[in-house]
Amino acid sequence: MSKTASRAYPNQRLQIVFGIDNAFTTTDFKRRMRFKGIASRHLKQFDTEWRSAGEDARFFVKQRLDQAKEGVKVAPLIQVLALRLSLQAIHDVDVTTIDDDDLSFVAREINRLWVSSKKNSTLEHWSQQFKLHGALDALCPDSECSIPEKNALNLILPSYETLWRIVLRCFMEVAFCEFTDRKVLWRMRLSKFLAEPSFTNLEDRGEWGGSIYDVVREALRLYPPTRRVYREFQYEGRAERELVAADIECLQREHPKNRQLSEKDDPVFHPQLWVRHEAEMNEGFMPFGRDKFLCPAQAKFGIWAIAILVASLTVEVGTAWQLRPNPVTRNAPLETDREAYLNLVLRRM
């Protein structure tokens, strides 16, 4: 089969469950390239909006924390935060005018349907998701949920679905690690980047030697947004296709050179490795894919989106909130299962 078809066939369940037709599901090479071009243009046009996006994200987090009586579930908060940024960047939506209930419902339903499609042999059908259609139509009036090529989820899924999980884990590692001095330093660096999003503030290593760029890359190494990549192959003389998985998460964590770089007492989440061994760390590093299937977000958007959202959360949470329970430890990576940490709560000190 062609490379496009080899990737598309394992994703057929997404067409059934979400009613989409995008680069991940089509077997048409030209259709895939058109979709990639559209996504790339949207992301590039967003380059002038990072400051306002950061201000909006910080205000939204502050508002949610101020309204909290007993605590705030951190995963749903980050899901909505990531969906807002996705709508801003991909669909040019003014998120200050949309209904928070619609946002929360869409974020929650996307995650529920995704998990259900992985666990159950009988798939829920997109044509029956009437309430989700209505919420999406309210958020993106230019989309048509009943037409796969015009479904807003074509662009929302690859931007939002991969973003919220890496933001959650990067935020947890940065804001709730055991090292008080690092937490203070990271908060200062993130605050500076949030106030003035620039390559200088993203990549500044200062006296400590670790930049926000290093922090984000280390989070992407340990917690790649796509943990496994699936392909189907058709071999000559065999009627059935074979499904093969590449374990990106294992590759990035267990790359032979990476194992040799870390000292015995180094923590698992260790951005300093990028300062000491950047060339070696880049070997086997592919959180945005590789070659012909390189994600358009790799050029800039992916790193900046993670940094902006983690910064807005870390700065607003500050030292006034605790994560309960706190699963962050220096000796082991966080869980990467999609349903892990959905019930963690931020509570006031």
Side-chain angles (χ1 to χ4, degrees), residues 189-224:
R189 293 260 170 90
L190 286 163
S191 179
K192 187 176 180 181
F193 177 72
L194 193 61
E196 184 57 50
S198 66
F199 281 108
T200 298
N201 287 336
L202 182 75
E203 298 174 359
D204 176 28
R205 283 176 169 162
E207 294 181 4
W208 171 68
S211 67
I212 297 306
Y213 185 37
D214 298 322
V215 168
V216 173
R217 284 190 294 178
E218 179 65 354
L220 285 167
R221 181 184 73 85
L222 286 174
Y223 314 115

PDB file of all heavy atoms in Angstrom, residues 189-224:
ATOM      1  N   ARG A 189      10.817  32.138  34.889  1.00  0.00           N
ATOM      2  CA  ARG A 189      11.060  32.075  33.446  1.00  0.00           C
ATOM      3  C   ARG A 189       9.749  32.037  32.664  1.00  0.00           C
ATOM      4  O   ARG A 189       9.607  32.658  31.624  1.00  0.00           O
ATOM      5  CB  ARG A 189      11.904  30.844  33.126  1.00  0.00           C
ATOM      6  CG  ARG A 189      13.324  30.905  33.667  1.00  0.00           C
ATOM      7  CD  ARG A 189      14.304  31.303  32.555  1.00  0.00           C
ATOM      8  NE  ARG A 189      15.610  31.583  33.110  1.00  0.00           N
ATOM      9  CZ  ARG A 189      16.571  30.673  33.277  1.00  0.00           C
ATOM     10  NH1 ARG A 189      16.348  29.424  32.932  1.00  0.00           N
ATOM     11  NH2 ARG A 189      17.740  31.019  33.766  1.00  0.00           N
ATOM     12  N   LEU A 190       8.791  31.243  33.165  1.00  0.00           N
ATOM     13  CA  LEU A 190       7.502  31.132  32.489  1.00  0.00           C
ATOM     14  C   LEU A 190       6.742  32.450  32.542  1.00  0.00           C
ATOM     15  O   LEU A 190       6.083  32.840  31.574  1.00  0.00           O
ATOM     16  CB  LEU A 190       6.672  30.017  33.133  1.00  0.00           C
ATOM     17  CG  LEU A 190       7.126  28.597  32.805  1.00  0.00           C
ATOM     18  CD1 LEU A 190       6.524  27.595  33.786  1.00  0.00           C
ATOM     19  CD2 LEU A 190       6.765  28.224  31.373  1.00  0.00           C
ATOM     20  N   SER A 191       6.821  33.145  33.668  1.00  0.00           N
ATOM     21  CA  SER A 191       6.165  34.450  33.802  1.00  0.00           C
ATOM     22  C   SER A 191       6.738  35.451  32.802  1.00  0.00           C
ATOM     23  O   SER A 191       5.997  36.224  32.177  1.00  0.00           O
ATOM     24  CB  SER A 191       6.332  34.969  35.230  1.00  0.00           C
ATOM     25  OG  SER A 191       5.724  36.234  35.366  1.00  0.00           O
ATOM     26  N   LYS A 192       8.045  35.420  32.638  1.00  0.00           N
ATOM     27  CA  LYS A 192       8.703  36.324  31.686  1.00  0.00           C
ATOM     28  C   LYS A 192       8.277  36.014  30.254  1.00  0.00           C
ATOM     29  O   LYS A 192       8.009  36.920  29.457  1.00  0.00           O
ATOM     30  CB  LYS A 192      10.219  36.197  31.831  1.00  0.00           C
ATOM     31  CG  LYS A 192      11.017  37.211  31.017  1.00  0.00           C
ATOM     32  CD  LYS A 192      12.505  37.049  31.307  1.00  0.00           C
ATOM     33  CE  LYS A 192      13.317  38.063  30.489  1.00  0.00           C
ATOM     34  NZ  LYS A 192      14.784  37.909  30.740  1.00  0.00           N
ATOM     35  N   PHE A 193       8.197  34.726  29.912  1.00  0.00           N
ATOM     36  CA  PHE A 193       7.778  34.338  28.561  1.00  0.00           C
ATOM     37  C   PHE A 193       6.317  34.691  28.327  1.00  0.00           C
ATOM     38  O   PHE A 193       5.943  35.133  27.237  1.00  0.00           O
ATOM     39  CB  PHE A 193       7.988  32.833  28.369  1.00  0.00           C
ATOM     40  CG  PHE A 193       7.528  32.325  27.033  1.00  0.00           C
ATOM     41  CD1 PHE A 193       8.234  32.624  25.871  1.00  0.00           C
ATOM     42  CD2 PHE A 193       6.380  31.553  26.918  1.00  0.00           C
ATOM     43  CE1 PHE A 193       7.811  32.170  24.627  1.00  0.00           C
ATOM     44  CE2 PHE A 193       5.950  31.085  25.683  1.00  0.00           C
ATOM     45  CZ  PHE A 193       6.667  31.395  24.539  1.00  0.00           C
ATOM     46  N   LEU A 194       5.491  34.523  29.336  1.00  0.00           N
ATOM     47  CA  LEU A 194       4.067  34.836  29.202  1.00  0.00           C
ATOM     48  C   LEU A 194       3.862  36.329  28.960  1.00  0.00           C
ATOM     49  O   LEU A 194       3.019  36.729  28.147  1.00  0.00           O
ATOM     50  CB  LEU A 194       3.329  34.403  30.470  1.00  0.00           C
ATOM     51  CG  LEU A 194       1.801  34.368  30.427  1.00  0.00           C
ATOM     52  CD1 LEU A 194       1.305  33.382  29.386  1.00  0.00           C
ATOM     53  CD2 LEU A 194       1.246  34.000  31.811  1.00  0.00           C
ATOM     54  N   ALA A 195       4.645  37.160  29.651  1.00  0.00           N
ATOM     55  CA  ALA A 195       4.529  38.607  29.482  1.00  0.00           C
ATOM     56  C   ALA A 195       5.076  39.073  28.142  1.00  0.00           C
ATOM     57  O   ALA A 195       4.561  40.036  27.554  1.00  0.00           O
ATOM     58  CB  ALA A 195       5.271  39.324  30.621  1.00  0.00           C
ATOM     59  N   GLU A 196       6.099  38.381  27.642  1.00  0.00           N
ATOM     60  CA  GLU A 196       6.719  38.766  26.367  1.00  0.00           C
ATOM     61  C   GLU A 196       7.119  37.500  25.616  1.00  0.00           C
ATOM     62  O   GLU A 196       8.264  37.067  25.673  1.00  0.00           O
ATOM     63  CB  GLU A 196       7.949  39.636  26.615  1.00  0.00           C
ATOM     64  CG  GLU A 196       8.612  40.155  25.355  1.00  0.00           C
ATOM     65  CD  GLU A 196       7.662  40.963  24.479  1.00  0.00           C
ATOM     66  OE1 GLU A 196       6.996  41.878  25.009  1.00  0.00           O
ATOM     67  OE2 GLU A 196       7.571  40.661  23.268  1.00  0.00           O
ATOM     68  N   PRO A 197       6.148  36.897  24.884  1.00  0.00           N
ATOM     69  CA  PRO A 197       6.469  35.678  24.138  1.00  0.00           C
ATOM     70  C   PRO A 197       7.468  35.976  23.017  1.00  0.00           C
ATOM     71  O   PRO A 197       7.166  36.719  22.094  1.00  0.00           O
ATOM     72  CB  PRO A 197       5.115  35.238  23.563  1.00  0.00           C
ATOM     73  CG  PRO A 197       4.086  35.953  24.362  1.00  0.00           C
ATOM     74  CD  PRO A 197       4.727  37.245  24.756  1.00  0.00           C
ATOM     75  N   SER A 198       8.649  35.403  23.128  1.00  0.00           N
ATOM     76  CA  SER A 198       9.693  35.621  22.120  1.00  0.00           C
ATOM     77  C   SER A 198      10.650  34.442  22.164  1.00  0.00           C
ATOM     78  O   SER A 198      10.722  33.710  23.158  1.00  0.00           O
ATOM     79  CB  SER A 198      10.463  36.915  22.399  1.00  0.00           C
ATOM     80  OG  SER A 198      11.200  36.809  23.608  1.00  0.00           O
ATOM     81  N   PHE A 199      11.408  34.272  21.070  1.00  0.00           N
ATOM     82  CA  PHE A 199      12.403  33.212  21.060  1.00  0.00           C
ATOM     83  C   PHE A 199      13.463  33.449  22.136  1.00  0.00           C
ATOM     84  O   PHE A 199      13.976  32.510  22.739  1.00  0.00           O
ATOM     85  CB  PHE A 199      13.061  33.120  19.678  1.00  0.00           C
ATOM     86  CG  PHE A 199      12.221  32.401  18.657  1.00  0.00           C
ATOM     87  CD1 PHE A 199      11.607  33.095  17.630  1.00  0.00           C
ATOM     88  CD2 PHE A 199      12.034  31.023  18.726  1.00  0.00           C
ATOM     89  CE1 PHE A 199      10.820  32.443  16.692  1.00  0.00           C
ATOM     90  CE2 PHE A 199      11.256  30.356  17.794  1.00  0.00           C
ATOM     91  CZ  PHE A 199      10.654  31.070  16.773  1.00  0.00           C
ATOM     92  N   THR A 200      13.780  34.719  22.371  1.00  0.00           N
ATOM     93  CA  THR A 200      14.784  35.053  23.386  1.00  0.00           C
ATOM     94  C   THR A 200      14.357  34.550  24.755  1.00  0.00           C
ATOM     95  O   THR A 200      15.129  33.901  25.475  1.00  0.00           O
ATOM     96  CB  THR A 200      15.013  36.572  23.438  1.00  0.00           C
ATOM     97  OG1 THR A 200      15.515  37.016  22.177  1.00  0.00           O
ATOM     98  CG2 THR A 200      16.017  36.923  24.531  1.00  0.00           C
ATOM     99  N   ASN A 201      13.106  34.838  25.139  1.00  0.00           N
ATOM    100  CA  ASN A 201      12.621  34.416  26.454  1.00  0.00           C
ATOM    101  C   ASN A 201      12.341  32.917  26.516  1.00  0.00           C
ATOM    102  O   ASN A 201      12.399  32.319  27.591  1.00  0.00           O
ATOM    103  CB  ASN A 201      11.356  35.198  26.818  1.00  0.00           C
ATOM    104  CG  ASN A 201      11.661  36.639  27.179  1.00  0.00           C
ATOM    105  OD1 ASN A 201      12.772  36.962  27.591  1.00  0.00           O
ATOM    106  ND2 ASN A 201      10.686  37.518  27.002  1.00  0.00           N
ATOM    107  N   LEU A 202      12.043  32.312  25.384  1.00  0.00           N
ATOM    108  CA  LEU A 202      11.819  30.868  25.343  1.00  0.00           C
ATOM    109  C   LEU A 202      13.126  30.103  25.528  1.00  0.00           C
ATOM    110  O   LEU A 202      13.169  29.086  26.227  1.00  0.00           O
ATOM    111  CB  LEU A 202      11.170  30.473  24.014  1.00  0.00           C
ATOM    112  CG  LEU A 202      10.830  28.987  23.841  1.00  0.00           C
ATOM    113  CD1 LEU A 202       9.603  28.615  24.670  1.00  0.00           C
ATOM    114  CD2 LEU A 202      10.593  28.644  22.365  1.00  0.00           C
ATOM    115  N   GLU A 203      14.197  30.606  24.916  1.00  0.00           N
ATOM    116  CA  GLU A 203      15.453  29.861  24.860  1.00  0.00           C
ATOM    117  C   GLU A 203      16.508  30.344  25.844  1.00  0.00           C
ATOM    118  O   GLU A 203      17.607  29.794  25.899  1.00  0.00           O
ATOM    119  CB  GLU A 203      16.005  29.929  23.436  1.00  0.00           C
ATOM    120  CG  GLU A 203      15.062  29.293  22.406  1.00  0.00           C
ATOM    121  CD  GLU A 203      15.541  29.483  20.977  1.00  0.00           C
ATOM    122  OE1 GLU A 203      16.592  30.132  20.780  1.00  0.00           O
ATOM    123  OE2 GLU A 203      14.870  28.983  20.064  1.00  0.00           O
ATOM    124  N   ASP A 204      16.200  31.365  26.640  1.00  0.00           N
ATOM    125  CA  ASP A 204      17.169  31.913  27.589  1.00  0.00           C
ATOM    126  C   ASP A 204      17.502  30.890  28.670  1.00  0.00           C
ATOM    127  O   ASP A 204      16.637  30.465  29.425  1.00  0.00           O
ATOM    128  CB  ASP A 204      16.593  33.186  28.229  1.00  0.00           C
ATOM    129  CG  ASP A 204      17.519  33.747  29.292  1.00  0.00           C
ATOM    130  OD1 ASP A 204      18.743  33.538  29.184  1.00  0.00           O
ATOM    131  OD2 ASP A 204      17.015  34.399  30.227  1.00  0.00           O
ATOM    132  N   ARG A 205      18.766  30.492  28.734  1.00  0.00           N
ATOM    133  CA  ARG A 205      19.200  29.523  29.739  1.00  0.00           C
ATOM    134  C   ARG A 205      19.764  30.182  30.985  1.00  0.00           C
ATOM    135  O   ARG A 205      19.881  29.540  32.025  1.00  0.00           O
ATOM    136  CB  ARG A 205      20.235  28.570  29.121  1.00  0.00           C
ATOM    137  CG  ARG A 205      19.587  27.524  28.225  1.00  0.00           C
ATOM    138  CD  ARG A 205      20.591  26.637  27.538  1.00  0.00           C
ATOM    139  NE  ARG A 205      19.935  25.488  26.905  1.00  0.00           N
ATOM    140  CZ  ARG A 205      20.466  24.730  25.969  1.00  0.00           C
ATOM    141  NH1 ARG A 205      21.697  25.002  25.548  1.00  0.00           N
ATOM    142  NH2 ARG A 205      19.813  23.730  25.452  1.00  0.00           N
ATOM    143  N   GLY A 206      20.134  31.441  30.907  1.00  0.00           N
ATOM    144  CA  GLY A 206      20.585  32.173  32.078  1.00  0.00           C
ATOM    145  C   GLY A 206      21.715  31.480  32.818  1.00  0.00           C
ATOM    146  O   GLY A 206      22.434  30.649  32.270  1.00  0.00           O
ATOM    147  N   GLU A 207      21.859  31.816  34.088  1.00  0.00           N
ATOM    148  CA  GLU A 207      22.932  31.235  34.897  1.00  0.00           C
ATOM    149  C   GLU A 207      22.671  29.769  35.205  1.00  0.00           C
ATOM    150  O   GLU A 207      23.594  28.967  35.293  1.00  0.00           O
ATOM    151  CB  GLU A 207      23.068  32.023  36.206  1.00  0.00           C
ATOM    152  CG  GLU A 207      23.544  33.460  35.999  1.00  0.00           C
ATOM    153  CD  GLU A 207      23.680  34.187  37.311  1.00  0.00           C
ATOM    154  OE1 GLU A 207      23.482  33.538  38.363  1.00  0.00           O
ATOM    155  OE2 GLU A 207      23.981  35.390  37.294  1.00  0.00           O
ATOM    156  N   TRP A 208      21.408  29.423  35.408  1.00  0.00           N
ATOM    157  CA  TRP A 208      21.083  28.030  35.733  1.00  0.00           C
ATOM    158  C   TRP A 208      21.346  27.118  34.551  1.00  0.00           C
ATOM    159  O   TRP A 208      21.742  25.978  34.699  1.00  0.00           O
ATOM    160  CB  TRP A 208      19.622  27.941  36.168  1.00  0.00           C
ATOM    161  CG  TRP A 208      19.129  26.530  36.320  1.00  0.00           C
ATOM    162  CD1 TRP A 208      19.526  25.623  37.266  1.00  0.00           C
ATOM    163  CD2 TRP A 208      18.172  25.853  35.513  1.00  0.00           C
ATOM    164  NE1 TRP A 208      18.860  24.427  37.104  1.00  0.00           N
ATOM    165  CE2 TRP A 208      18.015  24.546  36.033  1.00  0.00           C
ATOM    166  CE3 TRP A 208      17.407  26.227  34.413  1.00  0.00           C
ATOM    167  CZ2 TRP A 208      17.139  23.620  35.486  1.00  0.00           C
ATOM    168  CZ3 TRP A 208      16.534  25.311  33.866  1.00  0.00           C
ATOM    169  CH2 TRP A 208      16.410  24.022  34.394  1.00  0.00           C
ATOM    170  N   GLY A 209      21.133  27.633  33.333  1.00  0.00           N
ATOM    171  CA  GLY A 209      21.457  26.863  32.150  1.00  0.00           C
ATOM    172  C   GLY A 209      20.307  26.082  31.559  1.00  0.00           C
ATOM    173  O   GLY A 209      20.482  25.367  30.574  1.00  0.00           O
ATOM    174  N   GLY A 210      19.107  26.181  32.102  1.00  0.00           N
ATOM    175  CA  GLY A 210      17.957  25.475  31.553  1.00  0.00           C
ATOM    176  C   GLY A 210      16.879  26.443  31.115  1.00  0.00           C
ATOM    177  O   GLY A 210      16.447  27.284  31.903  1.00  0.00           O
ATOM    178  N   SER A 211      16.464  26.366  29.865  1.00  0.00           N
ATOM    179  CA  SER A 211      15.462  27.284  29.337  1.00  0.00           C
ATOM    180  C   SER A 211      14.077  26.654  29.369  1.00  0.00           C
ATOM    181  O   SER A 211      13.918  25.454  29.592  1.00  0.00           O
ATOM    182  CB  SER A 211      15.814  27.661  27.898  1.00  0.00           C
ATOM    183  OG  SER A 211      15.688  26.527  27.044  1.00  0.00           O
ATOM    184  N   ILE A 212      13.054  27.480  29.092  1.00  0.00           N
ATOM    185  CA  ILE A 212      11.695  26.970  28.954  1.00  0.00           C
ATOM    186  C   ILE A 212      11.625  26.017  27.764  1.00  0.00           C
ATOM    187  O   ILE A 212      10.904  25.014  27.785  1.00  0.00           O
ATOM    188  CB  ILE A 212      10.701  28.134  28.784  1.00  0.00           C
ATOM    189  CG1 ILE A 212      10.696  29.012  30.031  1.00  0.00           C
ATOM    190  CG2 ILE A 212       9.293  27.610  28.518  1.00  0.00           C
ATOM    191  CD1 ILE A 212      10.442  28.276  31.325  1.00  0.00           C
ATOM    192  N   TYR A 213      12.395  26.288  26.736  1.00  0.00           N
ATOM    193  CA  TYR A 213      12.474  25.393  25.578  1.00  0.00           C
ATOM    194  C   TYR A 213      12.969  24.013  26.004  1.00  0.00           C
ATOM    195  O   TYR A 213      12.440  22.981  25.576  1.00  0.00           O
ATOM    196  CB  TYR A 213      13.408  26.014  24.538  1.00  0.00           C
ATOM    197  CG  TYR A 213      13.499  25.267  23.223  1.00  0.00           C
ATOM    198  CD1 TYR A 213      12.396  24.642  22.661  1.00  0.00           C
ATOM    199  CD2 TYR A 213      14.709  25.213  22.525  1.00  0.00           C
ATOM    200  CE1 TYR A 213      12.490  23.970  21.449  1.00  0.00           C
ATOM    201  CE2 TYR A 213      14.802  24.558  21.303  1.00  0.00           C
ATOM    202  CZ  TYR A 213      13.696  23.932  20.774  1.00  0.00           C
ATOM    203  OH  TYR A 213      13.796  23.271  19.566  1.00  0.00           O
ATOM    204  N   ASP A 214      13.983  23.980  26.875  1.00  0.00           N
ATOM    205  CA  ASP A 214      14.496  22.709  27.382  1.00  0.00           C
ATOM    206  C   ASP A 214      13.433  21.977  28.200  1.00  0.00           C
ATOM    207  O   ASP A 214      13.292  20.749  28.108  1.00  0.00           O
ATOM    208  CB  ASP A 214      15.733  22.933  28.257  1.00  0.00           C
ATOM    209  CG  ASP A 214      16.886  23.555  27.486  1.00  0.00           C
ATOM    210  OD1 ASP A 214      17.071  23.190  26.314  1.00  0.00           O
ATOM    211  OD2 ASP A 214      17.587  24.413  28.056  1.00  0.00           O
ATOM    212  N   VAL A 215      12.685  22.723  29.009  1.00  0.00           N
ATOM    213  CA  VAL A 215      11.631  22.134  29.839  1.00  0.00           C
ATOM    214  C   VAL A 215      10.563  21.489  28.964  1.00  0.00           C
ATOM    215  O   VAL A 215      10.136  20.351  29.207  1.00  0.00           O
ATOM    216  CB  VAL A 215      10.996  23.205  30.755  1.00  0.00           C
ATOM    217  CG1 VAL A 215       9.718  22.674  31.402  1.00  0.00           C
ATOM    218  CG2 VAL A 215      11.985  23.649  31.828  1.00  0.00           C
ATOM    219  N   VAL A 216      10.122  22.210  27.916  1.00  0.00           N
ATOM    220  CA  VAL A 216       9.073  21.683  27.035  1.00  0.00           C
ATOM    221  C   VAL A 216       9.573  20.459  26.275  1.00  0.00           C
ATOM    222  O   VAL A 216       8.861  19.456  26.139  1.00  0.00           O
ATOM    223  CB  VAL A 216       8.585  22.775  26.067  1.00  0.00           C
ATOM    224  CG1 VAL A 216       7.628  22.183  25.028  1.00  0.00           C
ATOM    225  CG2 VAL A 216       7.887  23.889  26.836  1.00  0.00           C
ATOM    226  N   ARG A 217      10.803  20.517  25.791  1.00  0.00           N
ATOM    227  CA  ARG A 217      11.340  19.365  25.059  1.00  0.00           C
ATOM    228  C   ARG A 217      11.476  18.143  25.964  1.00  0.00           C
ATOM    229  O   ARG A 217      11.247  17.014  25.525  1.00  0.00           O
ATOM    230  CB  ARG A 217      12.689  19.713  24.424  1.00  0.00           C
ATOM    231  CG  ARG A 217      12.563  20.586  23.187  1.00  0.00           C
ATOM    232  CD  ARG A 217      13.876  20.714  22.458  1.00  0.00           C
ATOM    233  NE  ARG A 217      14.869  21.438  23.248  1.00  0.00           N
ATOM    234  CZ  ARG A 217      16.113  21.652  22.844  1.00  0.00           C
ATOM    235  NH1 ARG A 217      16.539  21.168  21.685  1.00  0.00           N
ATOM    236  NH2 ARG A 217      16.966  22.336  23.594  1.00  0.00           N
ATOM    237  N   GLU A 218      11.859  18.359  27.209  1.00  0.00           N
ATOM    238  CA  GLU A 218      11.964  17.227  28.126  1.00  0.00           C
ATOM    239  C   GLU A 218      10.584  16.617  28.393  1.00  0.00           C
ATOM    240  O   GLU A 218      10.438  15.391  28.482  1.00  0.00           O
ATOM    241  CB  GLU A 218      12.618  17.670  29.437  1.00  0.00           C
ATOM    242  CG  GLU A 218      12.763  16.581  30.484  1.00  0.00           C
ATOM    243  CD  GLU A 218      13.708  15.442  30.083  1.00  0.00           C
ATOM    244  OE1 GLU A 218      14.198  15.405  28.922  1.00  0.00           O
ATOM    245  OE2 GLU A 218      13.961  14.575  30.933  1.00  0.00           O
ATOM    246  N   ALA A 219       9.560  17.459  28.503  1.00  0.00           N
ATOM    247  CA  ALA A 219       8.197  16.953  28.669  1.00  0.00           C
ATOM    248  C   ALA A 219       7.764  16.166  27.432  1.00  0.00           C
ATOM    249  O   ALA A 219       7.148  15.101  27.548  1.00  0.00           O
ATOM    250  CB  ALA A 219       7.233  18.111  28.923  1.00  0.00           C
ATOM    251  N   LEU A 220       8.113  16.664  26.246  1.00  0.00           N
ATOM    252  CA  LEU A 220       7.765  15.966  25.006  1.00  0.00           C
ATOM    253  C   LEU A 220       8.519  14.647  24.873  1.00  0.00           C
ATOM    254  O   LEU A 220       8.022  13.696  24.272  1.00  0.00           O
ATOM    255  CB  LEU A 220       8.067  16.864  23.808  1.00  0.00           C
ATOM    256  CG  LEU A 220       7.082  18.012  23.564  1.00  0.00           C
ATOM    257  CD1 LEU A 220       7.658  19.001  22.556  1.00  0.00           C
ATOM    258  CD2 LEU A 220       5.742  17.484  23.078  1.00  0.00           C
ATOM    259  N   ARG A 221       9.729  14.594  25.412  1.00  0.00           N
ATOM    260  CA  ARG A 221      10.498  13.344  25.367  1.00  0.00           C
ATOM    261  C   ARG A 221       9.850  12.277  26.233  1.00  0.00           C
ATOM    262  O   ARG A 221       9.685  11.127  25.810  1.00  0.00           O
ATOM    263  CB  ARG A 221      11.938  13.583  25.828  1.00  0.00           C
ATOM    264  CG  ARG A 221      12.804  12.315  25.787  1.00  0.00           C
ATOM    265  CD  ARG A 221      14.201  12.567  26.334  1.00  0.00           C
ATOM    266  NE  ARG A 221      14.231  12.725  27.777  1.00  0.00           N
ATOM    267  CZ  ARG A 221      14.292  11.710  28.647  1.00  0.00           C
ATOM    268  NH1 ARG A 221      14.304  10.463  28.222  1.00  0.00           N
ATOM    269  NH2 ARG A 221      14.341  11.947  29.955  1.00  0.00           N
ATOM    270  N   LEU A 222       9.479  12.636  27.450  1.00  0.00           N
ATOM    271  CA  LEU A 222       8.895  11.666  28.372  1.00  0.00           C
ATOM    272  C   LEU A 222       7.431  11.362  28.059  1.00  0.00           C
ATOM    273  O   LEU A 222       6.970  10.244  28.271  1.00  0.00           O
ATOM    274  CB  LEU A 222       8.999  12.183  29.803  1.00  0.00           C
ATOM    275  CG  LEU A 222      10.377  12.157  30.457  1.00  0.00           C
ATOM    276  CD1 LEU A 222      10.324  12.844  31.809  1.00  0.00           C
ATOM    277  CD2 LEU A 222      10.885  10.727  30.606  1.00  0.00           C
ATOM    278  N   TYR A 223       6.718  12.381  27.562  1.00  0.00           N
ATOM    279  CA  TYR A 223       5.272  12.244  27.374  1.00  0.00           C
ATOM    280  C   TYR A 223       4.858  12.662  25.961  1.00  0.00           C
ATOM    281  O   TYR A 223       4.124  13.637  25.790  1.00  0.00           O
ATOM    282  CB  TYR A 223       4.534  13.102  28.413  1.00  0.00           C
ATOM    283  CG  TYR A 223       5.080  12.957  29.807  1.00  0.00           C
ATOM    284  CD1 TYR A 223       5.687  14.036  30.470  1.00  0.00           C
ATOM    285  CD2 TYR A 223       5.030  11.734  30.471  1.00  0.00           C
ATOM    286  CE1 TYR A 223       6.194  13.900  31.750  1.00  0.00           C
ATOM    287  CE2 TYR A 223       5.549  11.584  31.748  1.00  0.00           C
ATOM    288  CZ  TYR A 223       6.129  12.669  32.391  1.00  0.00           C
ATOM    289  OH  TYR A 223       6.650  12.525  33.653  1.00  0.00           O
ATOM    290  N   PRO A 224       5.332  11.969  24.933  1.00  0.00           N
ATOM    291  CA  PRO A 224       4.995  12.365  23.557  1.00  0.00           C
ATOM    292  C   PRO A 224       3.480  12.378  23.350  1.00  0.00           C
ATOM    293  O   PRO A 224       2.786  11.451  23.816  1.00  0.00           O
ATOM    294  CB  PRO A 224       5.671  11.290  22.699  1.00  0.00           C
ATOM    295  CG  PRO A 224       5.863  10.112  23.613  1.00  0.00           C
ATOM    296  CD  PRO A 224       6.113  10.706  24.977  1.00  0.00           C
TER     297      PRO A 224
END
